[in-house]
């Protein structure tokens, strides 16, 4: 494992500041700028909610957008509950 | 002559009125099926007609009890239909035969009230009432022929150990936990389709099952899930707390009339809720009665209370049938 020893250097500190700025920018962009709408419907295999974090496992899901259609045999959705709702998916 | 071919051999001699009256033919035979309940009686109290019907009904009941193990619900309907048919049969035969000693319809109506309830499997055929006269019941007191269906059963069980709800919510599937909103894990399973509330004290509430057995099975499945997560779960004090049933009387009802005559039991506020709330005292069941004729019964701890409550309300509802 690489040591995280050198984070407390000039270079390391400025990179960490950038990461925090990146977090803020992603959150605001997803909340304000992105306006795409995706519909999906499938069989829900499992769900879980703990500490305002929802995770779902879907089977046989079709993500429908106006432009295109994406299918997946299994999809996991991790959704954070915040005043600005955000989500990310992995296949 | 009666149809002798349908009778067992020991009853052949009893088919004709003369046959039963002769002292030589035993009324009570050791070859009779166990538990017919026919007690040996002095001959002057017997009536060949009633024995015949009794034996026929016994056979029919025994056949039905064999089927009961497979299909309980259909069997109940069959039994009630047979009993109703037997009542009609007896009353018609009464009319044709004229004086016939005892009144068979008396213990027909007695039998109806003591007929085995659906959901219970009697080990022996229900004993027939003896042939001594009983206080007459109204001959037309047939059962409604409608069986309320159970819709929901709420039960509780104690798993007997303290639980860490966060671990359960993180590791179990199909679980929700929002401690700020509600202090329990809400878990669901698909078969039987139920929802459980699991508390940190180890107590659990299981809702949504359609029968007592399913509720118990579902509660056991939740206990097994908790056990597999590493907690020393047990299955203590399983108890059904509430049962909800519903049925349809198939005719519209004058709720206004019902609330006028049964004021002490009913409350009907159409502006608040479209159903009449009838609080029956015995058994202690609350019924929601709607204009359409649909009835919801709730508050029961056992299935028999739901059936009994419906049998009590059905004649009352018939009296308030809408005629337009």
């Amino acid at each position: 494992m690489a040591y995280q020893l050198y984070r407390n250097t000039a270079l390391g500190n400025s990179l960490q500041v950038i990461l925090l700025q990146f977090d803020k920018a992603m959150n605001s962009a997803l909340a304000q700028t992105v306006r795409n709408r995706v519909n999906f419907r499938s069989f829900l295999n499992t769900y879980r909610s703990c500490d305002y974090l929802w995770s779902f496992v879907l089977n046989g899901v079709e993500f429908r957008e106006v432009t295109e259609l994406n299918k997946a045999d299994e999809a996991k959705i991790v959704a954070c509950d915040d005043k600005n709702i955000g989500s990310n998916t992995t296949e | 002559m009666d149809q002798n071919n349908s009778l067992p051999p020991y009853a052949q001699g009893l088919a004709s009125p003369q046959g039963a009256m002769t002292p030589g033919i035993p009324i009570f035979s050791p070859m009779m099926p166990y538990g017919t309940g026919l007690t040996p009686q002095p001959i002057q109290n017997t009536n060949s007609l009633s024995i015949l019907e009794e034996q026929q009904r016994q056979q029919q009941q025994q056949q039905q009890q064999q089927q009961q193990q497979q299909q309980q619900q259909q069997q109940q309907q069959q039994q009630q239909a047979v009993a109703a048919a037997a009542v009609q049969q007896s009353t018609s035969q009464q009319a044709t035969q004229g004086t016939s000693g005892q009144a068979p319809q008396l213990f027909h109506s007695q039998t109806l009230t003591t007929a085995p309830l659906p959901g219970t499997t009697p080990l022996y055929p229900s004993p027939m009432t003896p042939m001594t006269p009983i206080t007459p019941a109204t001959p037309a007191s047939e059962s409604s022929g409608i069986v309320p269906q159970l819709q929901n059963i709420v039960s509780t069980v104690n798993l007997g150990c303290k639980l860490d709800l966060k671990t359960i919510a993180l590791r179990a599937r199909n679980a929700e936990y929002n401690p700020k909103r509600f202090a329990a894990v809400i878990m669901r399973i698909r078969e039987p389709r139920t929802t459980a509330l699991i508390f940190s004290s180890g107590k659990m509430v299981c809702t949504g099952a359609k029968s007592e057995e399913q509720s118990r099975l579902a509660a056991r499945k939740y206990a097994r899930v908790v056990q597999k997560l590493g907690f020393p779960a047990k299955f203590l004090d399983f108890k059904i707390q509430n049962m909800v049933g519903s049925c349809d009387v198939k005719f519209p009802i004058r709720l206004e009339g019902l609330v006028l005559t049964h004021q002490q039991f009913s409350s009907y506020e159409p502006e608040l809720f479209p159903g009449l709330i009838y609080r029956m005292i015995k058994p202690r069941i609350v019924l929601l009665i709607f204009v359409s004729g649909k009835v919801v019964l709730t508050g029961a701890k056992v299935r028999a209370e739901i059936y009994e409550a419906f049998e009590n309300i059905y004649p009352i509802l018939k009296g308030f049938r809408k005629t337009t």
Side-chain angles (χ1 to χ4, degrees), chain A residues 44-49 51-52, chain B residues 169-170 172 174-175 177 188 190:
Chain A
L44 179 67
N45 193 320
T46 60
Y47 67 88
R48 175 175 292 117
S49 162
D51 281 340
Y52 300 105
Chain B
L170 284 172
N174 301 327
Y177 181 44
R188 294 180 174 86
R190 289 196 162 97

Side-chain angles (χ1 to χ4, degrees), chain A residues 54-72:
Chain A
W54 279 95
S55 59
F56 306 98
V57 174
L58 312 174
N59 286 130
V61 56
E62 293 186 347
F63 292 98
R64 242 170 234 289
E65 222 175 333
V66 179
T67 48
E68 61 189 89
L69 172 69
N70 281 319
K71 290 195 192 178

Side-chain angles (χ1 to χ4, degrees), chain B residues 91-291:
Chain B
T91 47
S92 65
Q93 282 177 354
Q94 264 300 68
T96 52
Q97 286 287 335
T99 57
S100 48
Q102 311 301 320
Q105 74 263 24
L106 288 180
F107 48 84
H108 281 308
S109 58
Q110 285 290 79
T111 316
L112 284 172
T113 55
T114 58
L117 295 163
T120 64
T121 322
L123 291 174
Y124 311 114
S126 59
M128 307 307 291
T129 54
M131 303 190 206
T132 50
I134 321 152
T135 52
T138 55
S141 63
E142 303 177 1
S143 63
S144 59
I146 304 171
V147 182
Q149 299 303 308
L150 289 180
Q151 301 293 348
N152 182 26
I153 300 200
V154 178
S155 59
T156 55
V157 72
N158 185 1
L159 301 178
C161 63
K162 293 267 173 290
L163 303 174
D164 181 15
L165 297 185
K166 186 116 181 227
T167 326
I168 294 177
L170 284 172
R171 293 172 55 198
R173 292 174 177 229
N174 301 327
E176 299 168 50
Y177 181 44
N178 260 337
K180 291 186 193 144
R181 207 172 57 145
F182 189 56
V185 167
I186 302 160
M187 200 185 296
R188 294 180 174 86
I189 55 173
R190 289 196 162 97
E191 180 55 49
R193 196 166 286 272
T194 49
T195 305
L197 305 175
I198 305 174
F199 294 85
S200 53
S201 62
K203 298 218 171 127
M204 180 170 80
V205 181
C206 173
T207 63
K210 300 280 192 203
S211 85
E212 304 91 322
E213 265 317 302
Q214 282 188 5
S215 190
R216 195 189 177 90
L217 175 66
R220 285 210 108 100
K221 287 193 178 180
Y222 289 113
R224 192 169 48 206
V225 168
V226 169
Q227 196 179 56
K228 283 196 178 161
L229 290 177
F231 299 94
K234 299 179 263 305
F235 199 74
L236 310 171
D237 309 323
F238 174 81
K239 183 176 177 207
I240 290 179
Q241 303 288 352
N242 186 26
M243 299 173 74
V244 180
S246 72
C247 57
D248 186 5
V249 299
K250 305 270 196 311
F251 54 79
I253 302 170
R254 284 183 287 119
L255 297 182
E256 271 302 332
L258 181 55
V259 74
L260 283 174
T261 47
H262 290 77
Q263 270 168 358
Q264 61 267 53
F265 306 111
S266 334
S267 81
Y268 177 45
E269 295 276 343
E271 293 172 11
L272 278 186
F273 185 64
L276 186 151
I277 302 164
Y278 192 103
R279 294 179 191 274
M280 199 176 280
I281 309 290
K282 182 176 176 6
R284 213 164 71 91
I285 299 282
V286 175
L287 299 93
L288 304 177
I289 304 166
F290 296 88
V291 177

